[in-house]
Amino acid sequence: MLSGLIYLLLTLGSFCLWSIGFNPYSCPSSACSAVSYIFGRPLLLWGAAYYSLSAVLCFGGFTATKKKAALPIIYGGAAAHALLLFLAWRGTGKLCPVCLKFLLVEVLLAVYVTIYPPRRVFLVPAVLAGAGLIMVAGLLAFNPRVVPAAAAPAVPPAKVISSVPAEKGETASLPKQDFVEKKISTGSKSLPSSVKTDTNKHSGLVVTTMDNRPVTLDLAARPALFVAWWCPHCDEALQEMAQLPEGRRPYLVFTYLRGNDQGEIEAKLKRNGLEGVTIYLASKPPEGVKGVPALVFLDNGQVSQAEGAKAIEEELIGDTK
């Protein structure tokens, strides 16, 4: 009975978060961005389906009478969640503490059900759990919150190229910024050797404009700040950027796009004092950048990066405080 109730509470929690429009991209560690949707459906609904099915198995006594069929489902769901966490970690280098706690509860419940399988049938809770499962299955099949494939932006990932003629840069006439000549700070690191350059060449960053026009940004003129509208940590970096005079601001590139991003991007800029600034788009940052916020810049002719708001602050305005 206890295990079924906990699974039912997890079902209700997942469904309620989805129904109020909870943004799964606002993961405290920004780790969930890479795996927040599966087959075009949000993880919150997939989680609710798993929890409600597990509740049905517990309330219906199937974990005792049909153990060989029920337990693989329960353990399989926990294993799938663990795999998603691994993929998120591999893609971002971070783990979401909230998801880790959910996974811990799932593992403990699976062990508990294995040792103490509910043998009685609790009819009313089983019916409620079954109704929840049917409702969630319907939402997975006809989810109105899914962004249609046609609405997803056809934006390529950002790419660093080793040499940029001055006339090809989007803002080649901009003056070179003094903070890109500093030594790499503690929070900075070099990108892979494939995107390094020497001091006699300009490095460029290939991105697109809001109207999907490809441009090459000259990193010798200024660095590029990569952020995502769903990233809570990016607000700090954007606020630091807003404190700079326009001539010292980096290029601003929004990445990890999800579909109809324009309204969310505009709202984030307004909240952080950057309404109306020029922005660029990239489906992903260049190779070597593992998460956002991230600053890509030249240091002695070598393309480097700083990840995290504090490291970015050092690179942008640390020397002016």
Side-chain angles (χ1 to χ4, degrees):
M1 179 68 173
L2 177 61
S3 56
L5 286 174
I6 295 176
Y7 277 124
L8 190 58
L9 288 174
L10 292 173
T11 302
L12 292 173
S14 297
F15 178 74
C16 288
L17 287 173
W18 175 83
S19 65
I20 63 175
F22 176 75
N23 184 1
Y25 307 128
S26 59
C27 160
S29 69
S30 302
C32 298
S33 60
V35 292
S36 290
Y37 277 77
I38 299 178
F39 301 120
R41 297 329 192 235
L43 280 182
L44 284 171
L45 286 183
W46 287 113
Y50 164 64
Y51 297 138
S52 57
L53 176 58
S54 298
V56 170
L57 295 176
C58 291
F59 286 133
F62 297 109
T63 52
T65 60
K66 304 290 183 181
K67 183 179 294 187
K68 291 184 178 180
L71 291 183
I73 294 175
I74 290 176
Y75 277 98
H81 195 176
L83 176 61
L84 290 174
L85 284 182
F86 169 75
L87 293 175
W89 172 79
R90 189 178 67 174
T92 65
K94 301 175 183 178
L95 284 173
C96 172
V98 176
C99 290
L100 281 174
K101 291 174 183 176
F102 269 84
L103 179 60
L104 178 61
V105 172
E106 293 167 18
V107 172
L108 291 176
L109 278 174
V111 173
Y112 180 83
V113 168
T114 303
I115 300 174
Y116 305 105
R119 299 184 181 278
R120 289 180 52 194
V121 176
F122 299 93
L123 184 58
V124 174
V127 170
L128 291 175
L133 178 59
I134 293 172
M135 180 175 62
V136 173
L139 289 171
L140 284 171
F142 307 101
N143 179 15
R145 293 182 183 272
V146 175
V147 177
V155 177
K159 180 181 179 182
V160 176
I161 56 178
S162 60
S163 182
V164 183
E167 66 270 18
K168 294 291 184 65
E170 171 73 5
T171 52
S173 61
L174 290 172
K176 187 176 292 187
Q177 304 300 299
D178 56 3
F179 53 74
V180 303
E181 299 294 340
K182 297 193 311 175
K183 291 184 178 180
I184 302 175
S185 69
T186 304
S188 305
K189 51 189 176 181
S190 299
L191 294 180
S193 57
S194 61
V195 296
K196 292 179 181 177
T197 184
D198 60 55
T199 54
N200 296 320
K201 295 180 180 180
H202 286 191
S203 287
L205 185 70
V206 180
V207 293
T208 67
T209 61
M210 286 293 288
D211 58 358
N212 208 26
R213 178 170 52 89
V215 295
T216 301
L217 306 179
D218 185 4
L219 291 177
R222 59 180 64 194
L225 177 61
F226 283 83
V227 297
W229 64 258
W230 44 261
C231 167
H233 307 292
C234 293
D235 289 359
E236 296 179 49
L238 290 173
Q239 289 162 15
E240 296 292 351
M241 176 177 168
Q243 295 180 35
L244 295 170
E246 290 189 12
R248 285 181 49 82
R249 290 177 178 177
Y251 303 115
L252 183 54
V253 185
F254 275 84
T255 188
Y256 295 126
L257 305 173
R258 296 293 175 179
N260 296 326
D261 305 272
Q262 184 171 352
E264 299 286 356
I265 289 174
E266 292 174 353
K268 193 173 189 72
L269 292 174
K270 185 175 182 180
R271 287 196 304 269
N272 291 287
L274 290 169
E275 187 174 12
V277 300
T278 300
I279 66 170
Y280 303 93
L281 303 177
S283 62
K284 291 181 181 179
E287 181 184 0
V289 177
K290 300 299 183 182
V292 288
L295 187 74
V296 176
F297 59 97
L298 284 185
D299 180 78
N300 294 325
Q302 178 176 296
V303 181
S304 301
Q305 66 171 330
E307 291 185 13
K310 295 301 181 184
I312 291 172
E313 178 183 351
E314 280 189 48
E315 293 296 335
L316 288 180
I317 59 177
D319 59 340
T320 64
K321 288 188 174 181

